Amino acid sequence: MNPDYRLPHSQDSYGFGFLDEFAKREIRRVILKAISIPGYQTPYASREMPMGRGFGTGGLQLTLSMIGPDDTLKVIDQGSDDSVNAVNLRKFAELTCPEVSTTESTTEASLIQTRHRVPEIPLREDQVLNLQVPYPDPLVIVEPSEAKRKIMHGEGDYARLLTKLYEDLVKFDEITISHRYPTRINGHYVIDPSPIPRYDVPGLHQSRALLLFGAGREKKIYAVPPYTNAEPLVFDDVPFRTESFYTADGQRRACDRCGSIDSFLDELNLDDGSKAWQCSDTDYCNRQLARTEAGEATQ
Amino acid sequence: MNNPLTTEQHNSVWSPLYQQRAFRALMSAFSFPGRRQSLPLCSDATGPTCIAAVLCDNEVSLADPDQLIDSADVRRLGIREAGVTNAGFIVADGSQAPTFEPALGNLAEPEQGATIIIRVASLEDSNDFPLILQGPGIEDKQALSVNGLNREWLAERTRWNRNFPMGVDLILMDDTQVVALPRTTRISGGTN
Ligand SMILES: [Zn+2]
């Protein structure tokens, strides 16, 4: 936290959100343009925040520009509500937005700020997902000039990016990008969907909720509106594959905690040198565990 | 200078709470084109001022050729007034056919395309505009009723938006509600 940081003074109960009203208004204008041009990295004047850029300031600025006393906020990092980053961001929101409720439940949240995961439970129309983005531009790997990249994006010209992916395929017999898989939105712009696993990319497609992406350091905001196509860049003869959690003998791994076989699993290294697998989405894992225990109790 | 003070009454368009709630209505409107969203109630403004207060300040330019925003509100907004051809925001009377060419942005900066706030008589009923919308934000099809929108608007909008990603984004508003038509929305039916 910035040592100069003080809570905003206010005469009544509504002096909140940390950002001043001009900063909020600019982000609000940019959000509407980002929704209107799906996948376009809309520039904005990212403000200084009392934490370093790279700690989710882009996602946080999205959240603070829209949050109000009617909202219930959930903050997750790699699927977890309890990680240090998620706890710090949630505390910051509680400090600066005193009337807002916070929750760890995906279904109770109206706003969800996240780093590196999309929740397992499909979102609803009345929810908004704000993703924290470190590197917004998928064309960086093929074109160093931002001015040229902007033209390529505008023209929907991703030939060089596809060539790069193809070289990868020839060399490794598989597209090796595990996270930040380039994804085409509404048939035009290709986005970096932030470091979510490939497993989460299908969840961006025709989502019922608005998905917003905030890159604080790079000063860009982009959107995948609800009911919008989000298609990973692929070649006709090579299907897009998500991470599979199969054992050597072909069994789908289950979460060692809740037993789920339909969630994204984190690999854990235990003290005794063995490995364990657990849902990365802690809310989902807790729900499955509660359901299992309730089922056992009634038997 | 459109600097909302926390001492404002919460139902003032100049209060942070009004602006936050109205923004959420606008964000929903853009997320789900064609669906009506209610603006929060306010005590001290009507019409396009309610939207300008949420989105406009001295960092943007606004053209109001039909003078739909009260001059005192224009001063309070602190906006830079501009001609319609290069304004970031345009406020217009929907009953009149548009006679201007708005900014459409360019390939590298499509967000420079104008946002046009169009005052219409009603979004509840329609005389001759049962419109069908498709595109991002619409699961299958969305019907839109609008009364008091000169049909030339739709023809001009189609022309302005013919080269995606360039184009304009429209906000239709009546006394209490808004409907957004971002540049990605395809419109059929009506008299088109
Ligand atoms: Zn689990």
Side-chain angles (χ1 to χ4, degrees):
Chain A
M1 291 264 192
N2 182 335
D4 296 333
Y5 174 65
R6 287 171 296 142
L7 273 178
H9 289 287
S10 136
Q11 297 301 310
D12 70 8
S13 58
Y14 195 80
F16 80 52
F18 180 78
L19 296 171
D20 65 67
E21 293 300 316
F22 291 93
K24 288 181 192 168
R25 200 177 292 117
E26 194 220 358
I27 295 169
R28 290 168 182 170
R29 286 192 293 265
V30 169
I31 289 171
L32 299 188
K33 284 299 175 193
I35 298 169
S36 298
I37 314 167
Y40 170 65
Q41 298 166 56
T42 318
Y44 79 110
S46 182
R47 310 289 167 128
E48 288 299 325
M49 300 297 286
M51 64 272 292
R53 286 186 180 144
F55 286 87
T57 56
L60 184 62
Q61 288 172 2
L62 286 171
T63 297
L64 294 177
S65 74
M66 66 181 66
I67 198 165
D70 304 334
D71 278 309
T72 303
L73 175 69
K74 172 181 167 77
V75 183
I76 41 175
D77 188 337
Q78 312 250 26
S80 165
D81 302 85
D82 306 326
S83 73
V84 176
N85 269 326
V87 169
N88 281 344
L89 288 171
R90 188 165 58 243
K91 277 187 184 157
F92 184 76
E94 284 167 347
L95 190 67
T96 56
C97 313
E99 288 169 81
V100 167
S101 320
T102 55
T103 183
E104 296 189 2
S105 160
T106 300
T107 53
E108 283 173 18
S110 58
L111 301 179
I112 301 173
Q113 183 174 327
T114 179
R115 174 176 175 270
H116 295 191
R117 278 307 313 275
V118 174
E120 298 281 348
I121 298 173
L123 300 179
R124 304 183 307 262
E125 289 186 351
D126 61 342
Q127 297 178 303
V128 178
L129 188 69
N130 292 329
L131 292 102
Q132 302 168 198
V133 181
Y135 307 106
D137 198 335
L139 286 177
V140 162
I141 57 171
V142 295
E143 175 53 61
S145 154
E146 182 174 17
K148 287 183 185 164
R149 292 199 302 269
K150 284 175 80 76
I151 298 293
M152 291 164 72
H153 279 296
E155 292 175 336
D157 173 11
Y158 297 102
R160 286 162 63 192
L161 186 59
L162 276 164
T163 303
K164 181 86 179 160
L165 292 182
Y166 190 73
E167 287 168 2
D168 214 30
L169 193 63
V170 170
K171 203 184 292 179
F172 301 106
D173 215 30
E174 182 175 25
I175 291 174
T176 56
I177 303 170
S178 63
H179 290 64
R180 302 174 53 203
Y181 195 92
T183 303
R184 195 158 207 170
I185 307 305
N186 192 34
H188 191 98
Y189 287 99
V190 169
I191 64 163
D192 181 325
S194 86
I196 55 172
R198 284 194 288 192
Y199 182 91
D200 284 344
V201 171
L204 308 179
H205 180 70
Q206 295 286 326
S207 159
R208 299 174 77 83
L210 170 65
L211 313 174
L212 291 169
F213 298 77
R217 187 177 41 207
E218 306 290 330
K219 306 182 182 184
K220 298 283 168 33
I221 288 169
Y222 47 105
V224 180
Y227 305 117
T228 297
N229 288 347
E231 295 155 320
L233 282 189
V234 286
F235 303 95
D236 292 341
D237 48 345
V238 187
F240 177 76
R241 283 214 310 257
T242 60
E243 292 83 354
S244 61
F245 298 97
Y246 286 90
T247 59
D249 54 359
Q251 293 287 311
R252 171 55 153 99
R253 285 186 196 283
C255 169
D256 287 326
R257 182 165 173 265
C258 74
S260 170
I261 53 165
D262 56 5
S263 66
F264 185 85
L265 300 175
D266 284 336
E267 188 178 331
L268 308 175
N269 293 308
L270 302 181
D271 290 342
D272 64 4
S274 66
K275 288 183 188 305
W277 301 81
Q278 197 166 306
C279 299
S280 93
D281 183 330
T282 48
D283 175 55
Y284 185 77
C285 197
N286 290 339
R287 269 166 209 277
Q288 296 301 112
L289 195 61
R291 187 174 299 172
T292 310
E293 284 170 353
E296 282 166 2
T298 55
Q299 277 168 11
Chain B
M1 293 289 281
N2 197 3
N3 189 13
L5 301 171
T6 52
T7 47
E8 297 278 4
Q9 291 300 306
H10 283 167
N11 57 358
S12 164
V13 283
W14 310 106
S15 72
L17 184 61
Y18 176 88
Q19 296 192 5
Q20 183 266 330
R21 289 187 168 152
F23 171 69
R24 291 293 281 275
L26 288 169
M27 190 169 83
S28 292
F30 275 82
S31 298
F32 303 101
R35 284 196 208 171
R36 294 190 300 264
Q37 306 290 337
S38 294
L39 289 171
L41 295 175
C42 74
S43 58
D44 53 358
T46 56
T49 301
C50 298
I51 294 173
V54 177
L55 299 177
C56 299
D57 54 30
N58 59 342
E59 289 181 28
V60 300
S61 56
L62 180 137
D64 182 13
D66 303 321
Q67 300 191 324
L68 300 179
I69 299 182
D70 184 82
S71 59
D73 289 339
V74 172
R75 282 194 298 279
R76 170 107 199 215
L77 286 163
I79 37 183
R80 290 184 280 124
E81 292 188 70
V84 279
T85 53
N86 47 29
F89 289 83
I90 300 169
V91 176
D93 175 356
S95 67
Q96 307 295 316
T99 55
F100 55 83
E101 289 296 322
L104 304 179
N106 57 60
L107 263 189
E109 294 175 317
E111 79 280 13
Q112 304 287 336
T115 302
I116 310 180
I117 301 163
I118 304 175
R119 189 78 160 87
V120 299
S122 172
L123 292 165
E124 287 287 351
D125 62 285
S126 69
N127 286 346
D128 53 356
F129 275 106
L131 300 171
I132 302 299
L133 315 183
Q134 289 177 284
I138 299 167
E139 186 171 14
D140 179 24
K141 289 175 180 166
Q142 170 72 43
L144 170 65
S145 298
V146 51
N147 197 346
L149 181 68
N150 186 298
R151 62 195 62 184
E152 275 300 305
W153 278 103
L154 296 179
E156 289 292 71
R157 175 188 180 273
T158 301
R159 189 171 62 81
W160 293 329
N161 290 344
R162 68 191 184 280
N163 292 318
F164 184 85
M166 284 85 81
V168 296
D169 309 301
L170 309 188
I171 302 172
L172 308 182
M173 72 176 307
D174 65 11
D175 287 338
T176 58
Q177 300 178 107
V178 292
V179 160
L181 298 173
R183 64 194 72 182
T184 49
T185 304
R186 301 183 300 280
I187 304 179
S188 59
T191 51
N192 260 13

